[in-house]
């Protein structure tokens, strides 16, 4: 069941602002489609790509579809989960980089490599004692 504050928008068209732009809130825009290919083309026809979801009993189809969706996070038969251990971020104009998980740690990590020789120095052909 949906929370009481959820807005379900029916009768939507591709050109509506609620369909084309990211809405941060409990809003679902419902659009009718005829084929899987049409749904994918229309879903990817946006400047944004934070998240996308597929609801179906056919899990094979769901995986095929989410693989083609241009979104940073995709959901199958659920939506709006963001566990701290998984990277979260978007495609296109929906942000740069990833929050959460190892991807975020990598983003904020600067590596430095230090070699220390504690025995006789071997500089190869650059230096030879005579």
């Amino acid at each position: 069941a949906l929370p009481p504050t959820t807005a379900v928008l029916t009768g939507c068209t591709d050109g509506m602002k609620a369909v084309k732009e990211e809405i941060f809130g409990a809003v679902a825009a419902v659009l009718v489609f005829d084929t899987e290919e049409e749904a994918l083309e229309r879903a990817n026809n946006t400047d944004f790509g934070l998240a996308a979801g597929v609801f179906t009993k056919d899990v094979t189809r769901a995986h095929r579809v989410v693989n083609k969706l241009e979104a940073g996070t995709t959901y199958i038969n659920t939506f709006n989960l963001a566990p701290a251990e998984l990277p979260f971020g978007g495609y296109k104009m929906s942000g740069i980089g990833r929050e959460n998980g190892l991807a975020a740690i990598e983003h904020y990590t600067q590596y430095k490599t230090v070699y220390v020789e504690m025995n006789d120095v071997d500089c190869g052909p650059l230096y030879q004692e005579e």
Side-chain angles (χ1 to χ4, degrees):
L2 298 172
T5 56
T6 300
V8 178
L9 307 176
T10 59
C12 295
T13 61
D14 292 344
M16 294 173 68
K17 190 172 186 171
V19 172
K20 297 293 283 185
E21 297 183 11
E22 292 177 329
I23 298 176
F24 293 94
V27 177
V30 179
L31 292 94
V32 177
F33 63 93
D34 292 318
T35 66
E36 185 177 301
E37 292 75 22
E38 174 196 358
L40 282 163
E41 182 180 326
R42 290 168 62 195
N44 290 331
N45 186 24
T46 178
D47 293 331
F48 303 99
L50 186 58
V54 174
F55 287 82
T56 179
K57 291 180 181 178
D58 185 342
V59 177
T60 301
R61 182 182 202 185
H63 279 282
R64 182 176 61 245
V65 170
V66 297
N67 188 49
K68 295 176 183 177
L69 286 169
E70 297 169 0
T73 301
T74 53
Y75 301 93
I76 296 174
N77 296 333
T78 189
F79 204 79
N80 208 27
L81 304 172
E85 63 274 14
L86 296 179
F88 180 79
Y91 284 18
K92 305 177 187 181
M93 293 182 63
S94 290
I96 298 171
R98 295 291 179 264
E99 298 174 4
N100 300 340
L102 293 176
I105 292 171
E106 287 286 327
H107 178 73
Y108 291 105
T109 300
Q110 181 172 333
Y111 293 99
K112 183 177 208 167
T113 303
V114 177
Y115 290 92
V116 177
E117 175 62 59
M118 298 299 290
N119 297 306
D120 292 337
V121 175
D122 179 6
C123 293
L126 297 176
Y127 173 79
Q128 296 179 356
E129 286 189 32
E130 294 187 29

